[in-house]
């Protein structure tokens, strides 16, 4: 069996990648170790690159439709990953999940309508509705011992008839929470009862660490299937965010008819040659690579957790149940938001995401991306330790 090398250091400078080439613009310094934007520093796997090269070799790139092979690769993947059977007509390409959220808001809500999110959560869940003049209402997650839970009593108390959509991160970013079937079913019951459409963003779902198990939202109950739009993509798992490979899945006839008519009228569901090819290759040949990558990233998570426990015990690590984003509770350092960011950026030379950007409950936290060669962490964490020692 082929062994993939995740230790390889690849220089991404000068490729216009946000993670490296936007450091100067965002942090005011270019010479930081980039542990922020949620893509990985690994080489995109050979079976995807080969499929793209093969298609490139044809040298004619005219208008293209989604082939049966494309649809069937997704259908098979969802079946093997989650034991979930879907129908081909439930699927549609979308040009990005964040854009997909905006399309849902355009299609199903009007300015002034309310959109529920559960912070701390991926910041575009707030930014997109706000930019579209929708009112964002918050159902902050409840913090328990080193973990998070959804607060259903609070949710019931904030829902009114102006609430039209709830945006769910399943699994949850940041925090890496894999929601249980019971939690999702209860959420579905509440949302369906109040006629709130659930947009389930499942971009991190292929990176769930055993023994945790991902449940696609519509798969948990008939109610969930009747009140939701699910977005997925191979982009996080196979490190192909720049190719834009997202897709929607909608089991409910009425929601599907309305949303797909909206997309088709604007040609928003027309994908690109490279998106179709990359998705098909990832889902046809990708399972072994996915497993090896996940094992490597899990060891990175363990490395961070062990290092912090032994060397920087003031920082508490939330071990993610999914994906490569590690949520660091830095509150014991007793620093203001500005001081905490400055400690990481100016003193340690590390670019992480400031937890406060994810909303209420994120203050005092930092989000570290460990989708990188271990050597990067092996020099970053001692730099952080030194920076804290010298404070
Ligand atoms: C929860 C979540 N949703 C969506 C995205 C981005 O998806 P897309 O690039 O398809 O818009 C990210 C990327 O970090 C994410 O973490």
């Amino acid at each position: 069996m082929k062994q993939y090398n995740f230790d390889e250091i690849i220089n991404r400078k000068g490729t216009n990648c946000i993670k490296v080439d936007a450091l100067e613009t965002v942090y005011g310094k270019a010479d930081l170790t980039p542990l922020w934007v949620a893509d990985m520093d690994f080489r995109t796997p050979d079976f995807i690159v080969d499929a793209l090269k093969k298609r490139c070799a044809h040298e004619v790139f005219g208008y293209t439709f989604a082939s049966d092979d494309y649809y069937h690769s997704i259908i098979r993947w969802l079946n093997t990953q989650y034991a979930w059977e879907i129908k081909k007509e439930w699927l549609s390409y979308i040009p990005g999940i964040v854009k997909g959220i905006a399309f849902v808001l355009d299609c199903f809500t009007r300015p002034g309508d309310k959109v529920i999110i559960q912070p701390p959560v991926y910041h575009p869940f707030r930014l997109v509705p706000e930019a579209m003049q929708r009112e964002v209402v918050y159902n902050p997650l409840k913090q328990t011992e080193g973990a998070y839970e959804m607060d259903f009593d609070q949710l019931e108390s904030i829902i009114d008839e102006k609430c039209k959509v709830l945006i769910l991160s399943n699994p949850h970013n940041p925090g890496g929470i894999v929601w249980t079937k019971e939690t999702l079913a209860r959420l579905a019951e509440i949302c369906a009862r109040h006629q709130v459409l659930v947009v389930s963003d499942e971009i991190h779902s292929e990176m769930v660490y055993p023994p945790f198990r991902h449940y696609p939202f519509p798969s948990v109950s008939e109610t969930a299937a009747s009140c939701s739009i699910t977005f997925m993509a191979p982009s996080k798992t196979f490190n192909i965010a720049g190719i834009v490979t997202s897709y929607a899945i909608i089991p409910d006839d009425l929601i599907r008819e309305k949303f797909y008519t909206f997309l088709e009228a604007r040609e928003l569901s027309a994908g690109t040659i490279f998106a179709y090819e990359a998705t098909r290759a990832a889902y046809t040949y990708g399972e072994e690579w996915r497993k090896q990558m996940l094992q490597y990233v899990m060891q990175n998570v363990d490395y961070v957790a062990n290092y912090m426990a032994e060397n920087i015990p003031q920082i508490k690590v939330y071990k993610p149940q999914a994906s490569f984003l590690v949520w660091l509770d830095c509150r014991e350092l007793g620093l203001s938001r500005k001081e905490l960011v400055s400690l990481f950026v100016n003193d340690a030379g590390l670019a992480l995401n400031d937890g406060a950007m994810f909303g209420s409950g994120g203050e005092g936290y930092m989000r570290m991306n460990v989708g990188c060669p271990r050597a990067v962490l092996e020099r970053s964490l001692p730099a952080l330790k030194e920076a804290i020692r010298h404070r």
Side-chain angles (χ1 to χ4, degrees), residues 15 25 68 101 158 164 182 205 224 228 250 271-272 298-299 303 312 314 349 365 381:
T15 61
T25 313
D68 276 346
I101 290 170
I158 61 166
K164 303 289 189 229
E182 292 68 32
S205 61
S228 61
I250 311 178
T272 68
M298 192 162 50
Q299 286 167 0
Y303 174 79
I312 319 178
Q314 310 92 303
Y365 288 75
L381 297 187

Side-chain angles (χ1 to χ4, degrees), residues 56-336:
C56 271
H58 186 258
E59 297 185 2
V60 181
F61 307 117
Y63 291 116
T64 300
F65 62 87
S67 67
D68 276 346
D69 277 356
Y70 165 79
Y71 287 114
H72 287 132
S73 69
I74 299 175
I75 292 168
R76 264 197 321 269
W77 180 260
L78 298 181
N79 198 356
T80 49
Q81 295 292 314
Y82 317 119
W84 187 32
E85 280 189 31
I86 66 155
K87 296 192 176 134
K88 182 180 161 191
E89 62 264 28
W90 296 0
L91 278 171
S92 171
Y93 174 85
I94 51 162
I97 289 183
V98 175
K99 295 183 200 81
I101 290 170
F103 302 152
V104 169
L105 298 183
D106 250 337
C107 180
F108 291 92
T109 72
R110 297 166 169 278
D113 282 348
K114 294 182 181 174
V115 175
I116 305 168
I117 66 170
Q118 307 191 91
V121 73
Y122 182 56
H123 50 300
F125 285 16
R126 171 177 60 81
L127 297 174
V128 170
E130 276 182 1
M132 296 175 70
Q133 288 83 47
R134 273 61 172 174
E135 185 183 340
V136 180
V137 292
Y138 300 97
N139 181 43
L141 296 178
K142 246 188 339 199
Q143 213 162 1
T144 56
E145 193 58 31
Y148 287 102
E149 280 175 8
M150 285 189 207
D151 190 336
F152 292 114
D153 293 337
Q154 184 178 243
L155 179 61
E156 295 267 17
S157 77
I158 61 166
I159 291 193
D160 61 24
E161 71 287 351
K162 291 216 95 177
C163 292
K164 303 289 189 229
V165 168
L166 178 143
I167 313 174
L168 169 70
S169 188
N170 177 34
H172 196 89
N173 167 18
I177 311 154
V178 173
W179 299 116
T180 63
K181 189 174 180 184
E182 292 68 32
T183 295
L184 295 173
R186 188 150 173 219
L187 182 69
E189 187 279 312
I190 295 171
C191 288
R193 180 153 41 80
H194 292 277
Q195 295 180 330
V196 170
L197 175 67
V198 177
V199 178
S200 186
D201 172 348
E202 309 198 355
I203 198 165
H204 293 282
S205 61
E206 297 165 8
M207 294 189 64
V208 168
Y209 301 115
F212 296 97
R213 178 172 168 192
H214 175 72
Y215 292 94
F217 186 78
S219 75
V220 301
S221 66
E222 277 184 27
T223 304
S226 75
C227 69
S228 61
I229 294 179
T230 297
F231 292 145
M232 291 186 171
S235 55
K236 294 286 168 204
T237 323
F238 295 97
N239 209 26
I240 48 174
I243 300 178
V244 188
T245 51
S246 334
Y247 53 91
I249 309 167
I250 311 178
D252 183 79
D253 293 342
L254 292 177
I255 298 172
R256 188 172 65 244
E257 166 76 18
K258 183 163 175 177
F259 191 51
Y260 287 176
T261 302
F262 174 95
L263 293 182
E264 278 157 27
R266 293 157 182 79
E267 293 205 355
L268 293 169
S269 46
T272 68
I273 294 174
F274 297 111
Y276 294 142
E277 270 305 294
T279 303
R280 186 193 57 75
Y283 284 173
T284 306
Y285 308 111
E287 182 56 5
E288 179 57 31
W289 190 90
R290 186 191 75 88
K291 282 195 185 132
Q292 289 185 29
M293 177 276 296
L294 209 53
Q295 170 100 12
Y296 187 91
V297 176
M298 192 162 50
Q299 286 167 0
N300 278 356
V301 171
D302 286 340
Y303 174 79
V304 172
N306 293 337
Y307 188 93
M308 294 294 192
E310 282 166 24
N311 297 280
I312 319 178
Q314 310 92 303
I315 297 183
K316 305 278 181 290
V317 175
Y318 278 67
K319 273 181 110 173
Q321 299 165 353
S323 209
F324 47 80
L325 304 169
V326 182
W327 193 226
L328 303 175
D329 179 353
C330 306
R331 289 175 300 174
E332 244 185 79
L333 293 173
L335 302 176
S336 68

Side-chain angles (χ1 to χ4, degrees), residues 8 10-43 207 235-236 239-242 297 300 323-326 349-353 367-373 376-377 379-380:
E8 183 187 8
I10 300 171
N11 184 4
R12 299 181 65 186
K13 246 196 183 119
T15 61
N16 296 333
C17 69
I18 297 175
K19 198 175 186 180
V20 177
D21 290 330
L23 282 170
E24 174 92 52
T25 313
V26 175
Y27 292 88
K29 281 178 149 194
D31 60 341
L32 302 172
T33 301
L35 302 169
W36 60 312
V37 174
D39 60 30
M40 303 194 287
D41 296 328
F42 306 138
R43 187 180 289 285
M207 294 189 64
S235 55
K236 294 286 168 204
N239 209 26
I240 48 174
V297 176
N300 278 356
S323 209
F324 47 80
L325 304 169
V326 182
L350 307 176
L352 277 73
N353 291 95
R367 193 190 76 175
M368 177 184 272
N369 179 344
V370 300
C372 58
V376 174
L377 300 175
R379 63 181 158 74
S380 298

